[in-house]
Amino acid sequence: GASSVASDLVWERMPERQREATRIQQAVKNFVRTMVRGQDMGAIAPNGQLRTCSCSLDRRLQYFIIELKGSRRRIALSEISDVYQGAEPEDIDTPLDELCATLMLTSGECVSFHFPDIASRAHFAHCLQVLVDGQQ
């Protein structure tokens, strides 16, 4: 209808920087919606073993929650100093590859996850980093 033609016209006239900001905002919004519900993810143990866990965000977007075999760990987003992608950081024991995203905590501890493809790893890392940056 007419509204999509109008919104397409507005979109085309928007500066690229603003379009990119809008895309990022929408991606983060979708990420939050998915993560508040919870998402099964593959956590990598330091010995390289992959374990399926359930990860979520609390509704107030203050905690990243990991549930594995009945135990639950709440990590405050303010305790996450960085979200690395791929084989970084290189100075940890956990074997990493290009499909990994690693949360570096302020304590120096790392929590690594494995994704099915680079696009889903990048989406997770970018969106979580936006939320972490919002806590600083």
Side-chain angles (χ1 to χ4, degrees):
S3 68
S4 70
V5 170
S7 60
D8 286 349
L9 192 60
V10 168
W11 184 259
E12 287 168 16
R13 292 190 175 166
M14 206 183 278
E16 181 56 36
R17 201 173 65 244
Q18 196 176 344
R19 275 190 287 199
E20 184 61 18
T22 302
R23 271 195 291 269
I24 291 168
Q25 226 174 6
Q26 195 57 50
V28 171
K29 191 174 171 181
N30 292 338
F31 173 78
V32 165
R33 194 175 297 132
T34 299
M35 291 305 293
V36 166
R37 281 192 215 116
Q39 183 85 14
D40 282 349
M41 294 174 54
I44 308 169
N47 67 6
Q49 186 181 7
L50 193 63
R51 297 193 173 122
T52 301
C53 62
S54 177
C55 295
S56 61
L57 290 167
D58 71 309
R59 291 197 179 282
R60 297 176 71 203
L61 305 181
Q62 293 181 319
Y63 292 94
F64 184 79
I65 303 156
I66 305 168
E67 295 184 53
L68 178 67
K69 293 183 181 169
S71 70
R72 184 174 210 206
R73 177 165 181 197
R74 289 166 42 109
I75 300 170
L77 293 186
S78 60
E79 290 175 32
I80 300 172
S81 59
D82 271 303
V83 182
Y84 289 97
Q85 295 186 56
E88 290 195 27
E90 294 175 357
D91 57 351
I92 65 171
D93 294 335
T94 307
L96 303 173
D97 62 30
E98 71 276 358
L99 298 176
C100 296
T102 300
L103 313 184
M104 171 71 79
L105 307 185
T106 53
S107 65
E109 182 186 359
C110 289
V111 181
S112 300
F113 298 97
H114 196 267
F115 293 85
D117 53 59
I118 289 174
S120 54
R121 178 219 62 205
H123 176 73
F124 171 84
H126 288 302
C127 291
L128 188 58
Q129 187 69 61
V130 167
L131 296 175
V132 166
D133 290 347
Q135 295 288 317
Q136 309 299 314

